[in-house]
């Protein structure tokens, strides 16, 4: 029965309960770098090695003059062969814990349940492998096994690097860096001499015996007579000497040489950086994993400290508003201090005036010759000094809002005393 293109009276299974849905199998542990399909980085390393061996020993070294060609074969061959041996050893050696290596790698391991355990390895016990491990061991997620003295998982080796294969890995990096450096020098020499002195690159016996046709004019001539041909100027070269000589043009040789130079330079920079980094780790007695964890912890501490510094200005800005209250209090205190200082000066002047008047009265009582004009002059001088002090006295605001002079009452009392003296 259909209604609006929908099935009625039909039950459907709950989502996720279908038996046809693919079930992801539990990951298995890998024994070495060739136990699983190769990674893209591993394929790149293999193709690069093969290409450098072909062009290095098939094109560039045969063009070197004697005895540099023999030296190049010996030294470059030694480092390339040693790199190949150590590379294969790093890929084949299993760096896992001894108990893990003794097990059958065909059996699957349980998946890690984060709801039950916070970490894979807790108290030196791995929850997945169910074994006790060393203090520097780590359960590799890529290989799904506990690795002794875990350093890192190398994608170019497609294998973990631990205690058992670390030195093979280190020697492989050293030989790769040295071999690429020597090959870079050889290619650079070929490019420079191709323009400056191409005859020095044509010392191989095959060049002397070769007879070919000029590509510009069709003349059959030998290599020695190449400069004689008007249409041919250093345009024919031989590669893959001495086993399979192949003719090539000068632009073709230069294109391959420039590409090889750039490729070797890029890998040389990478290998040199990697070698310097591992030399630094050896000097600090650290693994790559320990160094990364240390840097991560330092970044977390730095971010935490930066967050605390950003939160401090808010409290500082709120505290900056408080000094305004203190400034007003200071102004009031300074005003009060000025008023008290002026009143003290006025009291001193008043005492000086009273002292002069008392001295005049005492002199008159003792019968000394003191005229009334002299006494009057003393009083006038006292009044003038008093008026100056009164003018300098501040105005004090009373609580009720009336403004009066600070010494109004004192002046009235002095005036009364002076009038009483004049009456006498």
């Amino acid at each position: 029965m259909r209604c609006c293109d929908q099935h009625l009276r039909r039950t459907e299974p709950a989502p996720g309960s279908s038996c046809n849905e693919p079930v992801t199998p539990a990951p298995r542990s890998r024994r070495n770098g060739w136990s699983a399909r190769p990674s893209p980085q591993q394929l790149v390393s293999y193709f690069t090695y093969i290409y450098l061996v072909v062009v290095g020993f098939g094109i560039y070294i045969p063009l070197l003059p004697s005895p540099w060609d023999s030296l190049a074969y010996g030294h470059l061959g030694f480092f390339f062969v040693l790199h190949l041996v150590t590379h294969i050893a790093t890929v084949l050696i299993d760096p896992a814990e001894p108990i893990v290596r003794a097990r059958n790698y065909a059996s699957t391991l349980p998946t890690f349940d984060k709801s039950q355990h916070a970490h894979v390895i807790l108290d030196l016990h791995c929850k997945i492998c169910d074994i006790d491990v060393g203090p520097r061991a780590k359960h590799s997620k890529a290989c799904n096994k506990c690795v002794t003295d875990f350093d890192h998982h190398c994608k170019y080796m497609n294998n973990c690097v631990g205690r058992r294969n670390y030195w093979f890995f280190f020697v492989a990096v050293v030989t790769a860096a040295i071999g690429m450096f020597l090959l870079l020098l050889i290619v650079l020499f070929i490019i420079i001499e191709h323009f400056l002195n191409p005859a020095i690159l044509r010392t191989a016996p095959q060049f002397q015996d070769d007879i070919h046709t000029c590509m510009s004019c069709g003349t059959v001539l030998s290599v020695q007579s190449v400069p004689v041909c008007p249409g041919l100027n250093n345009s024919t070269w031989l590669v893959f000497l001495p086993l399979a000589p192949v003719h090539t043009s000068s632009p073709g040789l230069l294109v391959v040489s420039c590409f090889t130079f750039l490729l070797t330079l890029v890998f040389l920079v990478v290998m040199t950086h990697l070698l310097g980094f591992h030399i630094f780790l050896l000097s600090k007695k650290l693994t790559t994993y320990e160094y990364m964890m240390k840097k991560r912890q330092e970044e977390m501490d730095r971010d935490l400290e930066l967050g605390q510094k950003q939160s401090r200005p808010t409290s500082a800005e709120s505290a900056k508003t408080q000094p305004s209250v203190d400034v007003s209090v200071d102004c009031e205190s300074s005003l009060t201090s000025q008023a008290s200082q002026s009143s003290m000066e006025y009291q001193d002047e008043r005492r000086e005036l009273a002292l002069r008047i008392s001295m005049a009265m005492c002199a008159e009582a003792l019968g000394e010759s003191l005229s009334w004009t002299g006494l009057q002059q003393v009083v006038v001088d006292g009044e003038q000094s008093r008026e100056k002090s009164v003018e300098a006295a501040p105005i004090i605001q009373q609580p009720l809002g009336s403004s009066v002079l600070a010494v109004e009452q004192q002046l009235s009392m002095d005036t009364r005393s002076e009038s009483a003296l004049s009456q006498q």
Side-chain angles (χ1 to χ4, degrees):
M1 180 179 180
R2 292 178 176 270
C3 182
C4 298
D5 199 21
Q6 293 182 359
H7 294 279
L8 300 180
R9 296 182 181 180
R10 181 178 178 180
T11 59
E12 295 181 358
S17 61
S18 177
C19 298
N20 296 327
E21 293 181 358
V23 178
T24 304
R28 295 182 179 181
S29 301
R30 297 193 303 180
R31 185 181 299 274
N32 50 44
W34 288 343
S35 298
R37 60 181 182 180
S39 62
Q41 293 84 350
Q42 188 179 15
L43 295 178
V44 169
S45 64
Y46 290 159
F47 289 143
T48 303
Y49 180 84
I50 294 173
Y51 171 79
L52 294 180
V53 168
V54 170
V55 298
F57 292 91
I59 299 178
Y60 304 116
I61 295 181
L63 295 178
L64 295 177
S66 181
W68 295 106
D69 54 350
S70 301
L71 294 175
Y73 276 121
H75 289 80
L76 196 63
F78 170 78
F79 287 110
F80 268 69
V81 171
L82 184 59
H83 171 77
L84 179 62
V85 173
T86 53
H87 184 100
I88 294 176
T90 307
V91 174
L92 287 178
I93 293 177
D94 185 7
E97 288 282 335
I99 302 178
V100 176
R101 297 198 306 268
R103 291 179 178 177
N104 184 13
Y105 281 92
S107 61
T108 59
L109 295 177
T111 57
F112 179 69
D113 189 2
K114 294 184 178 180
S115 61
Q116 296 182 0
H117 306 286
H119 302 282
V120 177
I121 297 178
L122 188 62
D123 296 333
L124 300 181
H125 183 80
C126 180
K127 303 298 181 181
I128 298 179
C129 298
D130 195 19
I131 60 171
D132 294 332
V133 297
R136 305 183 74 176
K138 181 186 177 298
H139 188 89
S140 174
K141 183 179 179 180
C143 295
N144 195 25
K145 60 184 178 182
C146 289
V147 179
T148 306
D149 293 348
F150 178 81
D151 188 85
H152 71 284
H153 180 82
C154 182
K155 294 182 179 180
Y156 292 94
M157 305 287 184
N158 201 24
N159 194 13
C160 289
V161 179
R163 180 195 297 177
R164 300 188 68 213
N165 60 349
Y166 178 80
W167 287 109
F168 290 99
F169 167 80
F170 184 80
V171 175
V173 174
V174 173
T175 53
I178 298 176
M180 289 183 180
F181 176 73
L182 294 177
L183 182 60
L184 190 70
L185 294 180
I186 295 174
V187 175
L188 185 61
F189 176 79
I190 297 296
I191 295 175
I192 294 175
E193 294 298 331
H194 178 273
F195 294 100
L196 297 181
N197 187 13
I200 198 174
L201 305 178
R202 298 171 177 268
T203 58
Q206 289 76 13
F207 281 102
Q208 306 297 330
D209 301 334
D210 182 58
I211 301 296
H212 60 279
T213 304
C214 179
M215 290 181 291
S216 59
C217 59
T219 306
V220 179
L221 41 85
S222 63
V223 177
Q224 295 85 339
S225 61
V226 168
V228 179
C229 180
L232 188 62
N233 185 14
N234 191 24
S235 60
T236 303
W237 293 82
L238 295 177
V239 294
F240 300 111
L241 299 174
L243 300 180
V246 178
H247 291 88
T248 185
S249 61
S250 178
L253 179 65
L254 290 177
V255 168
V256 176
S257 300
C258 292
F259 175 76
T260 306
F261 180 83
L262 294 178
L263 181 65
T264 308
L265 181 62
V266 171
F267 275 91
L268 178 62
V269 172
V270 175
M271 290 294 119
T272 304
H273 180 270
L274 183 61
L275 178 60
F277 176 68
H278 279 276
I279 292 175
F280 169 77
L281 292 179
L282 290 175
S283 64
K284 298 294 183 179
K285 297 182 180 180
L286 294 174
T287 62
T288 304
Y289 176 75
E290 292 173 348
Y291 176 79
M292 298 302 296
M293 291 296 103
K294 183 179 179 181
K295 295 294 290 185
R296 186 179 300 178
Q297 184 64 32
E298 290 178 356
E299 291 178 358
M300 294 175 59
D301 296 340
R302 192 182 304 111
D303 294 341
L304 181 61
E305 183 179 358
L306 183 60
Q308 292 178 355
K309 288 183 178 180
Q310 291 178 354
S311 62
R312 288 176 184 173
T314 56
S315 59
E317 291 175 358
S318 61
K320 288 180 181 179
T321 59
Q322 298 179 358
S324 59
V325 179
D326 298 335
V327 171
S328 61
V329 174
D330 295 340
C331 292
E332 293 178 359
S333 61
S334 62
L335 181 60
T336 306
S337 62
Q338 292 178 0
S340 60
Q341 183 178 1
S342 59
S343 62
M344 290 176 63
E345 293 177 355
Y346 170 72
Q347 291 178 2
D348 294 339
E349 293 178 355
R350 187 172 59 83
R351 290 175 184 175
E352 183 179 358
L353 177 61
L355 180 59
R356 291 180 181 181
I357 296 174
S358 61
M359 289 176 65
M361 294 175 63
C362 292
E364 185 179 2
L366 293 175
E368 295 180 359
S369 61
L370 181 61
S371 62
W372 173 252
T373 57
L375 180 60
Q376 187 177 5
Q377 183 67 28
V378 173
V379 175
V380 171
D381 296 337
E383 288 178 355
Q384 291 178 355
S385 62
R386 183 179 58 190
E387 288 175 359
K388 293 180 180 180
S389 62
V390 169
E391 291 176 358
I395 297 175
I396 303 176
Q397 183 71 23
Q398 299 294 335
L400 296 178
S402 61
S403 300
V404 294
L405 295 175
V407 293
E408 184 69 26
Q409 297 177 356
Q410 299 292 336
L411 292 176
S412 60
M413 293 176 62
D414 294 340
T415 305
R416 293 175 184 175
S417 61
E418 290 175 4
S419 61
L421 290 174
S422 62
Q423 292 177 1
Q424 293 178 2

